[in-house]
Amino acid sequence: MCGIVGYIGPRPSIPVLMEGLKRLEYRGYDSAGIAWIEENKGLSIIRAKGKLAALDRLLDGVRDKRTFIGLGHTRWATHGEPSEANAHPHMDCRKEIVVVHNGIIENYYSLKSELERKGHKFLSDTDTEVLAHLIEDALYKRVNDSLKDALIDALKQVKGAYALGVIWTKEPDTIVAARRQSPLVIGTTIDETFIASDIPPILPYTNKLIFLDDMEMAELKRGKIQVYSLPDGDKIEKEPHIINWDASMAEKGGYRHFMLKEIYEQPQAISNTIGGRILMEDGRVLFEKGLEFLEDLIKRIEAINFIACGTSWHAALIAKYWFEKWTGLPVHVDLASEFRYRELLLTDKWLTIPISQSGETADTLAGLRIAKELKSPSVAICNVVGSTMTREADGTIYTHAGPEIGVASTKAFTSQLTALYLLGLSLGEKRGRLSRKAVSQKIMTLLSVPGLIENRLKIWQQEAKGLSQIFSRHSNFLYIGRGLQYPVALEGALKLKEISYIHAEGYAAGEMKHGPIALIDKDMPVVCLAPKDHVYEKIISNIEEVRSRQGIIIAIGDKQDDALQSLAQYVINVPHPEDDDVLPFLYTVPLQLIAYEIAVERGCDVDQPRNLAKSVTVE
Ligand code: AGP
């Protein structure tokens, strides 16, 4: 989730671009850069690794330059380490074209190879740089091409997601922009035009904004916008929207909290994590370069060992069910804080998989280092490119959730599940335990998940809000589930406790008779996860046990389920997908929203809960 800004107008562009980047700060970044065209002096680019302040320090002496067109970018790395060379903007060989991009070019590898064969020289490891050379190739293939037409040509070859801005020294009065799956906003005043990934950078100048839709592009001049459809280039008239948000609301995209925004971003985060990693027709999962070692490793390993903390540990517990079924290997799941202080059986025949959103969690890092000392090969699941864990593991599979600002992990969790689901399928297929057909069917089911969530987010939030009016004053909650729903019950309880400060406990439903049933009385709300899966009858009998002791039953399941309806005081409906294995994706989201709405009702600081940090970098 990078951030892009662009400006063309009478103001010196550098301060406008930097202010715009500062307003995209919440999108996170590991590097940043700006580029501008100066009359009779061509193109200039300044980029810096690290926070925006590092870039700002390099601008002394150039801020007041008489330049009236430019682009800026904050990078959240997906391909290529955070570095000055990989920071945007990126240029073509002639240093006449500059591109800023937010998204993932899925076929960049083949495009880059083709362009290198044509003699293009690349200076970075990013997918984005391919766009600059594609446009250059289009521009110089035909004479008198406009930048707009060249971009249309170039994008015909591109697969993947993009929001991009392009400028060219030979058209110093024009910015061209395009959008597919990544957001792009445009604003104009009488004689100036702005582009940005989001509303905040433009809001100080105008609240009349145009939102490009997928497969649309725009040619922008001072105070002028012309939108075209892609790939045919037909003119489109777009009505501007009037935005009445203040700056703080704008950073959250109009959502009240980052956590809510991130819950709603889950369909996109799951899609982005899938993006470019599946070959549907072949029923194969493809992982990025650097994981080739898995091919032979998977045939010789004898066990898999997950290490993680908190929500990431819950993801590992779910993955255990998938991986044992699909690979036939024994799977161990350890809390990293326990793993690091125990006598271990680990050998070089165990594959260690550390899971971490931040890639900086002290216990998980310590566990990874111990695994490496024991010669256990490792593949990290991580959301932050260039984080410590990704530099120490033998390989990394990145989640593409974008920066997660809320302390309570939501989109990172479902993105971890996505990466683990794909890895499990890949390992199962490589070990000859899953046929290509089986993998293809499971990929199809996974591809249905974003839509299933998208279609129900608002309904689930309304139902969660209703529950918050009733239960926000309760002091205890119990969450129970079986099979894949047991780790989901743990996750739901963790969400509630960490943001509402209510004591909530997740339990394997089969454990009720072994103690927790003593807790049940008329004041104990019990969230029961009850999909019609292979242990459905068992969870129904657990719910009956709770019911017979006057427990309050909040069921998550199928609204058409008469048994559930007769037992539960409240039922939140979750559709039943083709394949039970993806149920954790669907059952987690209502639990996130229940925790969110109860915390809001209790007046808690949802994004920054007391005593908690986003990344626990100390023991
Ligand atoms: C989850 O909502 C919490 N923020 C916390 O449990 C978190 O999952 C844990 O600290 C692990 O963090 P990591 O994924 O960055 O390693």
Side-chain angles (χ1 to χ4, degrees):
M1 192 161 83
C2 306
I4 70 175
V5 292
Y7 175 74
I8 182 166
R11 305 170 205 254
S13 63
I14 296 171
V16 174
L17 296 171
M18 285 305 289
E19 182 51 35
L21 292 182
K22 286 188 180 106
R23 289 171 177 274
L24 292 178
E25 202 158 4
Y26 67 90
R27 294 173 77 90
Y29 46 79
D30 43 57
S31 51
I34 60 172
W36 64 88
I37 296 172
E38 242 176 300
E39 284 168 82
N40 311 321
K41 286 193 182 166
L43 204 53
S44 302
I45 288 192
I46 296 183
R47 301 179 300 195
K49 180 181 175 184
K51 294 201 177 294
L52 207 51
L55 176 64
D56 210 32
R57 282 193 291 275
L58 301 179
L59 298 179
D60 295 343
V62 296
R63 279 190 189 80
D64 304 330
K65 270 195 179 299
R66 290 181 50 72
T67 160
F68 309 107
I69 178 171
L71 298 172
H73 186 274
T74 64
R75 183 167 181 251
W76 178 267
T78 56
H79 294 74
E81 291 287 279
S83 65
E84 191 276 335
N86 286 335
H88 302 208
H90 287 288
M91 284 189 289
D92 65 322
C93 303
R94 291 180 171 84
K95 299 191 179 357
E96 294 175 352
I97 297 161
V98 149
V99 178
V100 289
H101 164 235
N102 173 29
I104 296 175
I105 306 298
E106 291 174 7
N107 61 335
Y108 86 97
Y109 197 67
S110 55
L111 291 173
K112 182 169 179 175
S113 310
E114 179 56 27
L115 288 160
E116 284 175 327
R117 263 195 294 280
K118 290 183 176 176
H120 288 265
K121 297 281 179 273
F122 283 79
L123 303 176
S124 81
D125 303 328
T126 66
D127 54 337
T128 300
E129 190 182 357
V130 162
L131 293 167
H133 294 281
L134 275 180
I135 296 165
E136 175 186 26
D137 208 39
L139 272 173
Y140 289 96
K141 199 162 52 181
R142 295 196 310 247
V143 185
N144 303 330
D145 233 348
S146 70
L147 182 57
K148 169 183 78 74
D149 294 335
L151 180 60
I152 290 175
D153 257 7
L155 291 178
K156 284 173 184 162
Q157 305 166 66
V158 168
K159 289 189 188 131
Y162 49 76
L164 56 91
V166 190
I167 55 179
W168 180 29
T169 52
K170 292 192 170 22
E171 285 186 20
D173 62 346
T174 304
I175 295 177
V176 292
R179 179 221 153 120
R180 183 170 186 272
Q181 293 175 8
S182 297
L184 197 67
V185 186
I186 302 172
T188 56
T189 63
I190 298 290
D191 59 354
E192 50 192 355
T193 300
F194 306 79
I195 63 167
S197 298
D198 204 345
I199 293 167
I202 304 178
L203 216 47
Y205 307 97
T206 175
N207 70 345
K208 266 176 60 182
L209 304 178
I210 284 179
F211 295 84
L212 281 193
D213 289 311
D214 275 0
M215 299 309 281
E216 289 182 349
M217 70 165 296
E219 184 177 60
L220 312 165
K221 298 186 187 285
R222 286 193 178 197
K224 290 195 184 65
I225 303 176
Q226 178 54 58
V227 178
Y228 301 87
S229 62
L230 289 174
D232 44 21
D234 294 341
K235 284 186 179 178
I236 301 175
E237 292 312 314
K238 302 276 286 185
E239 278 307 306
H241 295 259
I242 306 299
I243 300 296
N244 296 313
W245 289 343
D246 64 27
S248 162
M249 281 179 73
E251 277 185 4
K252 301 182 186 88
Y255 291 96
R256 191 169 165 189
H257 298 98
F258 278 114
M259 181 181 175
L260 185 60
K261 177 169 178 274
E262 288 153 7
I263 288 172
Y264 274 76
E265 284 175 344
Q266 290 182 109
Q268 192 61 57
I270 293 166
S271 299
N272 289 348
T273 302
I274 297 171
R277 288 171 165 164
I278 55 175
L279 274 181
M280 268 309 298
E281 52 286 356
D282 297 0
R284 275 192 309 139
V285 174
L286 297 172
F287 284 111
E288 39 271 52
K289 287 188 309 170
L291 291 173
E292 293 79 4
F293 72 94
L294 271 181
E295 289 291 338
D296 68 290
L297 176 73
I298 187 59
K299 295 183 183 72
R300 65 177 175 78
I301 57 169
E302 293 165 2
I304 289 172
N305 189 59
F306 287 109
I307 50 176
C309 301
T311 287
S312 300
W313 178 66
H314 297 152
L317 289 171
I318 291 169
K320 172 185 170 69
Y321 288 85
W322 291 335
F323 279 53
E324 287 190 336
K325 190 162 58 166
W326 299 341
T327 69
L329 287 168
V331 175
H332 305 270
V333 179
D334 264 306
L335 281 169
S337 53
E338 289 299 310
F339 174 84
R340 63 184 292 193
Y341 295 112
R342 211 182 56 237
E343 281 302 308
L344 299 168
L345 299 174
L346 219 57
T347 71
D348 63 345
K349 294 210 175 350
W350 288 39
L351 172 61
T352 294
I353 304 179
I355 304 174
S356 175
Q357 185 287 128
S358 62
E360 302 299 345
T361 300
D363 284 324
T364 314
L365 284 174
L368 171 59
R369 288 162 187 157
I370 293 167
K372 290 181 72 167
E373 282 164 19
L374 297 171
K375 306 283 181 273
S376 167
S378 55
V379 175
I381 306 288
C382 188
N383 194 45
V384 182
V385 175
S387 58
T388 304
M389 186 166 296
T390 66
R391 284 183 277 112
E392 297 189 10
D394 296 327
T396 298
I397 294 173
Y398 285 108
T399 50
H400 293 312
E404 189 174 66
I405 311 298
V407 165
S409 188
T410 51
K411 63 176 182 173
F413 174 66
T414 44
S415 299
Q416 287 168 346
L417 293 185
T418 305
L420 288 162
Y421 188 96
L422 292 172
L423 177 59
L425 291 180
S426 174
L427 298 180
E429 193 264 326
K430 284 175 174 47
R431 285 180 60 83
R433 299 263 308 186
L434 285 179
S435 69
R436 288 280 170 89
K437 184 168 180 296
V439 172
S440 195
Q441 283 164 349
K442 288 199 154 311
I443 289 173
M444 283 289 283
T445 310
L446 180 65
L447 287 170
S448 71
V449 166
L452 289 171
I453 294 173
E454 185 76 48
N455 295 339
R456 283 165 186 77
L457 275 162
K458 284 196 168 46
I459 301 166
W460 285 337
Q461 186 178 357
Q462 281 160 8
E463 293 175 324
K465 191 165 186 58
L467 292 173
S468 72
Q469 312 297 315
I470 303 163
F471 294 104
S472 60
R473 293 294 148 223
H474 279 72
S475 313
N476 296 287
F477 264 77
L478 192 59
Y479 287 69
I480 61 172
R482 283 179 176 263
L484 278 168
Q485 300 309 324
Y486 163 41
V488 176
L490 296 175
E491 174 58 12
L494 174 62
K495 286 285 115 15
L496 185 66
K497 74 178 82 157
E498 69 175 323
I499 64 173
S500 73
Y501 318 141
I502 291 174
H503 173 247
E505 203 166 2
Y507 242 98
E511 276 294 289
M512 287 299 283
K513 287 192 179 62
H514 303 283
I517 202 156
L519 293 171
I520 306 302
D521 61 22
K522 63 179 176 37
D523 297 323
M524 176 62 85
V526 184
V527 179
C528 307
L529 308 181
K532 285 195 168 178
D533 58 11
H534 68 295
V535 284
Y536 168 72
E537 283 73 24
K538 299 293 179 192
I539 191 75
I540 287 294
S541 63
N542 293 128
I543 295 174
E544 283 163 345
E545 287 168 2
V546 172
R547 178 78 175 167
S548 60
R549 290 159 179 82
Q550 288 77 50
I552 307 163
I553 295 154
I554 301 168
I556 316 290
D558 181 346
K559 235 180 176 72
Q560 314 305 326
D561 179 343
D562 297 339
L564 211 50
Q565 287 291 2
S566 64
L567 287 168
Q569 285 88 331
Y570 309 92
V571 179
I572 290 189
N573 185 43
V574 177
H576 203 100
E578 296 284 302
D579 182 331
D580 291 355
D581 283 332
V582 298
L583 283 166
F585 291 93
L586 304 177
Y587 274 68
T588 298
V589 180
L591 304 187
Q592 294 167 342
L593 289 163
I594 288 170
Y596 172 80
E597 289 296 347
I598 288 177
V600 168
E601 184 62 24
R602 289 167 66 92
C604 296
D605 182 347
V606 170
D607 285 332
Q608 302 286 342
R610 69 186 183 197
N611 310 334
L612 291 177
K614 182 59 187 168
S615 176
V616 183
T617 56
V618 294
E619 270 201 77

